[in-house]
Amino acid sequence: MSIDKPSSGANIVETNPRNPWAWIPTLYFGQGIPYVVVMTLSVVMYKNLNISNTDIALYTSWLYLPWVIKPLWSPFVDMFKTKRYWIYTLQLLIGASLALVALTIPMSGFFQITLAVFWLMAFSSATHDIAADGFYMLSLPQHQQAAFVGVRSTFYRLAMITGQGALVYFAGKLTTALGSPAAAWAIVFWVLAGMFVALGIYHKFILPKPASDLPALSAVNADPLRQFGETFKAFFARPGIWVMLIFLLTFRLGEAQALKLVAPFLLDAREKGGLGFITEQFGLAYGTYGVASLTLGGLLGGYTISRGGLKKWIWPMLFAVHIPNLAFVFLAYTQPTEFWVVTAAIMIEQFGYGFGFASYLLYMIMIADGPHKTAHYSICTGFMALGMMLPGMASGWIQTQLGYPHFFVWVLICTLPSIIITFFLKIPDDFGKKKVEVA
């Protein structure tokens, strides 16, 4: 028995139909915020609070674990309660977690305590991702799923701009005004907590109620253990699954390491090999202009694939992701002092990554396609997270051994495995290409 509901192409009847614009932007903005808080905002905060690069990279990389292992409980999200219920309940829980971070930052053992709370937030966020992505597929017919994929991506990226840009800039200004990084970051997290409580209340009333959004265990004689086993068996029985998994694990091998050290690199003093940015400059250059370029690249990437298909564009997009890493090699070796030079290099790298990442996202959708698509997509994103977590854990130590210039060269070398495995990928000729619908 499948644990999934009718396929995304099926007719969907809602008890309270809603315009997708009323909930898709807020849903994916809400999906992006806790991820960027756990993965990026925490790094900047700990750097401001004088935690070492090695500890930051090691311990915050462990926070990827909930996204790695979320496939282990993704079938249970299908089995119990509706995805709609999971979404707004988890958003309220994330709001409570953000408030706990705000409360614990001023404490003497803040590093250990806030890490524990970030773990709670990460598990809540990973579960929210499962419910949100499944809800998206259940609530929209296939043609609307394709039409709104750019919208969901855009608002997810806007969450990144808010987290890495506006909130970091806000924290920098508050630090200057208050003279205390701890007090500044506490205020930032109180603002986030209030926003998420409001978001949970909004979605409780505004999310549609598709008839297909039912707990799988509502079926007569449903067996949760058998359904759980069938889901994983079906995924790993796919032809060529090991090639697929190696690609998922290696595509972001270089980025996984670079991502943990971008903030320390930009914020470290020039005599330490960094660029000596203040927090506000980081928020503008990387968190605002950089993420805006990432968003534009992603929108262009999605449009490009829809015109030519994944098979046609997989190679150009792969190189679009990897080659712009040269921008950080340039910055590390030259250490330019001009803000616009650094910002331009970041924007080039982020645009290339956004453009190419569309191919990776669509490849996961291709793997997940089938009767278990909600759980199988979650398994794919779990392997993606594993490919980010393990390299990221060692990145701080590698950087301290090599220094920033050689470290970013190492990042370039780490792109080679994904290039090699791409030769072995099997992609249908027309997958991802927009089809002309006949009335």
Side-chain angles (χ1 to χ4, degrees):
M1 180 186 297
S2 168
I3 67 169
D4 278 43
K5 315 301 180 299
S7 70
S8 58
N11 291 329
I12 298 170
V13 179
E14 297 179 6
T15 57
N16 65 333
R18 299 281 188 185
N19 187 322
W21 282 102
W23 59 272
I24 290 177
T26 52
L27 178 63
Y28 280 91
F29 185 84
Q31 182 173 321
I33 286 291
Y35 182 84
V36 77
V37 166
V38 171
M39 293 294 102
T40 302
L41 209 62
S42 64
V43 173
V44 180
M45 181 186 76
Y46 288 140
K47 188 66 181 178
N48 286 170
L49 298 176
N50 299 316
I51 305 298
S52 70
N53 286 2
T54 300
D55 284 345
I56 290 173
L58 175 61
Y59 291 107
T60 62
S61 290
W62 272 108
L63 295 173
Y64 277 116
L65 187 61
W67 283 277
V68 174
I69 63 176
K70 72 179 182 180
L72 297 179
W73 68 87
S74 61
F76 294 103
V77 175
D78 264 345
M79 293 180 198
F80 303 101
K81 296 293 186 180
T82 64
K83 293 179 180 63
R84 186 181 188 277
Y85 172 87
W86 281 106
I87 288 169
Y88 67 76
T89 301
L90 287 164
Q91 287 174 350
L92 294 173
L93 181 58
I94 291 168
S97 301
L98 290 162
L100 281 174
V101 173
L103 282 170
T104 54
I105 287 174
M107 296 181 180
S108 58
F110 76 92
F111 185 51
Q112 294 82 0
I113 299 172
T114 54
L115 275 174
V117 180
F118 281 135
W119 269 94
L120 172 63
M121 194 185 307
F123 273 102
S124 301
S125 179
T127 308
H128 178 274
D129 290 357
I130 298 167
D133 290 335
F135 187 80
Y136 177 85
M137 291 186 282
L138 291 175
S139 300
L140 299 175
Q142 193 173 70
H143 71 279
Q144 279 196 315
Q145 288 182 45
F148 278 89
V149 71
V151 175
R152 59 180 270 188
S153 176
T154 296
F155 279 87
Y156 188 90
R157 300 302 184 190
L158 286 175
M160 294 181 66
I161 292 176
T162 302
Q164 296 177 190
L167 291 174
V168 171
Y169 185 84
F170 182 44
K173 286 296 185 184
L174 284 173
T175 299
T176 302
L178 301 175
S180 169
W185 281 104
I187 292 172
V188 168
F189 276 92
W190 278 120
V191 171
L192 282 168
M195 182 184 73
F196 251 83
V197 170
L199 201 61
I201 295 171
Y202 174 79
H203 283 145
K204 177 174 173 54
F205 294 100
I206 207 69
L207 288 177
K209 297 179 179 178
S212 54
D213 185 19
L214 296 171
L217 288 187
S218 63
V220 178
N221 299 322
D223 183 345
L225 292 179
R226 183 166 64 87
Q227 290 184 0
F228 184 88
E230 287 180 355
T231 300
F232 282 89
K233 181 180 178 181
F235 181 82
F236 288 101
R238 291 176 179 274
I241 186 62
W242 296 110
V243 172
M244 297 175 185
L245 295 182
I246 293 171
F247 179 76
L248 293 181
L249 288 169
T250 59
F251 185 88
R252 306 178 78 181
L253 180 61
E255 183 219 358
Q257 298 172 76
L259 189 62
K260 287 298 174 186
L261 273 301
V262 167
F265 169 59
L266 294 176
L267 294 168
D268 258 339
R270 300 181 68 83
E271 56 268 22
K272 294 182 179 180
L275 297 186
F277 271 25
I278 59 174
T279 304
E280 296 98 304
Q281 288 177 311
F282 174 85
L284 284 174
Y286 188 72
T288 304
Y289 296 123
V291 177
S293 296
L294 183 74
T295 303
L296 291 175
L299 290 173
L300 180 61
Y303 174 80
T304 301
I305 286 183
S306 73
R307 308 302 293 181
L310 179 60
K311 186 173 184 178
K312 176 180 177 180
W313 282 98
I314 185 68
W315 280 106
M317 289 188 166
L318 182 72
F319 287 113
V321 168
H322 295 330
I323 292 176
N325 281 313
L326 286 167
F328 281 107
V329 176
F330 163 76
L331 293 177
Y333 273 98
T334 62
Q335 292 185 283
T337 56
E338 299 88 349
F339 178 80
W340 69 269
V341 173
V342 177
T343 302
I346 291 172
M347 290 177 68
I348 291 170
E349 188 273 336
Q350 291 287 280
F351 181 86
Y353 185 81
F355 179 76
F357 188 71
S359 64
Y360 187 71
L361 178 64
L362 195 60
Y363 187 74
M364 289 195 295
I365 292 174
M366 185 194 82
I367 297 173
D369 192 34
H372 302 276
K373 64 178 62 181
T374 300
H376 285 187
Y377 188 81
S378 176
I379 295 172
C380 289
T381 58
F383 277 98
M384 176 183 69
L386 181 63
M388 294 292 288
M389 184 185 82
L390 296 179
M393 290 171 63
S395 60
W397 180 83
I398 294 172
Q399 183 273 319
T400 58
Q401 301 304 306
L402 300 179
Y404 284 117
H406 291 164
F407 170 75
F408 286 114
V409 172
W410 166 250
V411 167
L412 277 175
I413 294 171
C414 288
T415 64
L416 295 177
S418 65
I419 295 172
I420 294 170
I421 198 65
T422 301
F423 283 102
F424 300 94
L425 299 184
K426 297 185 183 300
I427 302 171
D429 290 339
D430 62 346
F431 187 81
K433 186 184 296 186
K434 183 178 180 180
K435 297 178 176 63
V436 178
E437 296 185 3
V438 180

